[in-house]
Amino acid sequence: MKKYLIIIFLGILFTLNSCHDFFESDSTNVSITKGDTIGTEREALYAMSGILQHLQVIGDNWVIANELRGDLLAVTHNSSQDLWDIYNFEVEPTNSYLNDREFYALVNDCNYLIKYVDTTKIVQDEKILKRYMSAAKSIRAWAYMQMAMIYGQVYYSTEPILDATQDMSKLPKISMDVLVDFLLDDLSPLKPVDNTIEHFPGYFGENTEDYFIPIRLVLGDLYLWKKDYYNAALMYYQLILTKRLVLSSSFQNKWKDNQFLEYGTLTWRQLFLNSGEVVSKIRHTDDYAESVTILSKIFSPEYYWLAPSLTAISNWESQTYVETATRTTAGDLRGRINSSGPNKNAGSYYSDNLGSSTIEEILYPVVSKYEFNNNTTYLCRASQIYLKYAEAVNRLGKHYLALAVLKKGLNRESLTSLVSQSELAGNEPFLDFGQNTPYLADLFSANKGIQERGCGNVGLLSTSIPTGVDTLIWVEDQIIMEAALENAFEGNRFADLMRVANHRDDPLYLAKMVASKFPPGQKEAIEQKLSDKENWFFPESEMKNQ
């Protein structure tokens, strides 16, 4: 990102000091002004730059909060007490990783732009500033939803707080279920017309589309939480269609004759280097200290504050890579590559001796995902959209359609050979991946199964559902496992587990999944603790008093 994209007017610095400073930020760059109308695109750009900068500020702690509470990330001998407390669900209000103030400051930035931007302004026959308002509402809804999943409840306001004497504790505090309805009412009128492209603010001709959060993505997540699986599937499908999201076979890690092969530059790790599969991201910068991500540092062998859990490692190692019908090997190549040199970090983690030079070196698992692109936090990739689509249609009874996302990809061939035609016989507008419409056949012809990225030619693997199982639950379990294999450590895991627990009305589902990473003895205690949903969440941070 060029430096001028995050330069904030000196006059739009603002802080609050009230008895409940929920909108006070620890950042020194808060883009709130005095209440003047935002009437030009340049003014809207500056206000939006402040919003994007606040996304940068929350990025690291958002990842840590959602991954360390999940089943895939663990603490190490180098972890601080604050990290251990998150890991053990014993967080105190003084924990340094609580960032509710930063979230509320981000919301306040959004509230200000939404309230004061002149959406009637017409430039070249378009109400150009309406794009900024829509983008701010989408980011605000995403932020509120993340807060609810981290803190359990949120103080809800759509009005910017400009009065330092206002008592924030008088704002309504609401749970996720109430919040979802509020956000759906707010965002639904802004949904793009069916099958039309959503337009985002532009920055001096820069391609910054993935700096924003598509409205259809947020709506899909809201509907999925609300158990409105039809509309969730529809939003994800339209996002796939309008952004032309295809899971390319180019992004695979491959074995051949037990050797890891790197075909040109297109391996799985290249997904993290500005590929077309990135839907939304936080692009960090070194212009301000608060904007620099430290994730690549804290996962590195030098610092080693956090590491893959034994559950995460077992997930990858328990898979089967299929090279040919008669040649298989253990392990998913999105996990660890048994290779030295530059290829060792081509998966999600690798083994390292942490700098030891002793003869009997102890190897430790090291997260490598953030070495691929150490200035970006990925909010959403195409694989997550497809997995959530699969989650929704599975809940609608289309189990083989959901399974096709994992096994062969959604394209004309797989939908005619793998999916029961009874699942495709309805008139739902989110089922056509080329089997009905010729131009979509071309678009999705290269669509591959997500498992192919680490397990080889999965067409040779079983695509049937075992007998004697609850079909819906079994397929849903496969989807959540695939999310662990493909999207580990990216900031979504605890939210995924919460959502499935909500689908099933079963808190014990999440409790068992998270407890799986703990040793015997502690495992049972964690499972019992998390069977009570009240223990899932962080407390509010201690607010600064005047």
Side-chain angles (χ1 to χ4, degrees), residues 498-517:
M498 281 181 61
R499 191 175 60 251
V500 174
N502 185 57
H503 293 333
R504 302 181 184 186
D505 296 316
D506 181 14
L508 198 57
Y509 166 81
L510 179 145
K512 288 180 177 293
M513 291 290 285
V514 175
S516 70
K517 71 179 180 180

Side-chain angles (χ1 to χ4, degrees), residues 1 51-53 55-56 58-59 62 139 142 206-214 217 243 271-284 370 373 375-382 384 490:
M1 182 195 292
I51 292 171
L52 296 183
Q53 189 192 351
L55 278 173
Q56 295 170 341
I58 69 170
W62 172 75
I139 292 171
W142 177 87
E206 293 282 315
N207 182 15
T208 56
E209 179 176 315
D210 53 7
Y211 290 14
F212 300 96
I213 304 174
L217 170 58
K243 290 186 73 70
L271 280 170
F272 304 90
L273 295 174
N274 301 317
S275 78
E277 293 191 24
V278 176
V279 177
S280 183
K281 68 186 180 185
I282 300 173
R283 181 73 161 85
H284 297 273
Y370 290 90
N373 191 339
N375 59 3
T376 302
T377 300
Y378 295 95
L379 300 182
C380 183
R381 297 193 287 114
Q384 290 162 279
E490 294 179 35

Side-chain angles (χ1 to χ4, degrees), residues 225-243:
W225 181 269
K226 192 175 173 62
K227 304 182 184 180
D228 184 346
Y229 303 118
Y230 180 99
N231 278 310
L234 179 61
M235 289 300 99
Y236 296 135
Y237 176 79
Q238 290 193 358
L239 188 60
I240 289 168
L241 190 64
T242 57
K243 290 186 73 70

Side-chain angles (χ1 to χ4, degrees), residues 441-462:
D442 293 336
L443 172 61
F444 294 113
S445 61
N447 220 7
K448 298 298 181 182
I450 299 178
Q451 286 187 342
E452 292 187 51
R453 299 184 150 173
C455 291
N457 187 354
V458 296
L460 299 174
L461 299 179
S462 174

Side-chain angles (χ1 to χ4, degrees), residues 326-398:
T326 58
R327 191 178 184 88
T328 64
T329 189
D332 185 312
L333 291 187
R334 291 167 296 181
R336 181 170 64 95
I337 304 295
N338 292 318
S339 176
S340 60
N343 292 331
K344 73 175 183 178
N345 65 349
S348 295
Y349 80 100
Y350 61 93
S351 297
D352 194 277
N353 61 12
L354 306 186
S356 171
S357 59
T358 60
I359 295 176
E360 295 182 359
E361 294 178 337
I362 300 175
L363 295 179
Y364 295 87
V366 176
V367 172
S368 56
K369 259 188 178 177
Y370 290 90
E371 294 180 12
F372 304 150
N373 191 339
N374 60 13
N375 59 3
T376 302
T377 300
Y378 295 95
L379 300 182
C380 183
R381 297 193 287 114
S383 56
Q384 290 162 279
I385 302 297
Y386 274 95
L387 287 170
K388 287 178 179 178
Y389 172 87
E391 192 177 319
V393 297
N394 180 56
R395 283 275 161 180
L396 291 172
K398 301 179 185 299

Side-chain angles (χ1 to χ4, degrees), residues 477-510:
D477 287 343
Q478 310 312 304
I479 294 168
I480 295 305
M481 171 61 81
E482 192 61 31
L485 301 171
E486 171 74 13
N487 302 121
F489 318 133
E490 294 179 35
N492 294 281
R493 186 58 175 177
F494 198 75
D496 288 344
L497 300 181
M498 281 181 61
R499 191 175 60 251
V500 174
N502 185 57
H503 293 333
R504 302 181 184 186
D505 296 316
D506 181 14
L508 198 57
Y509 166 81
L510 179 145

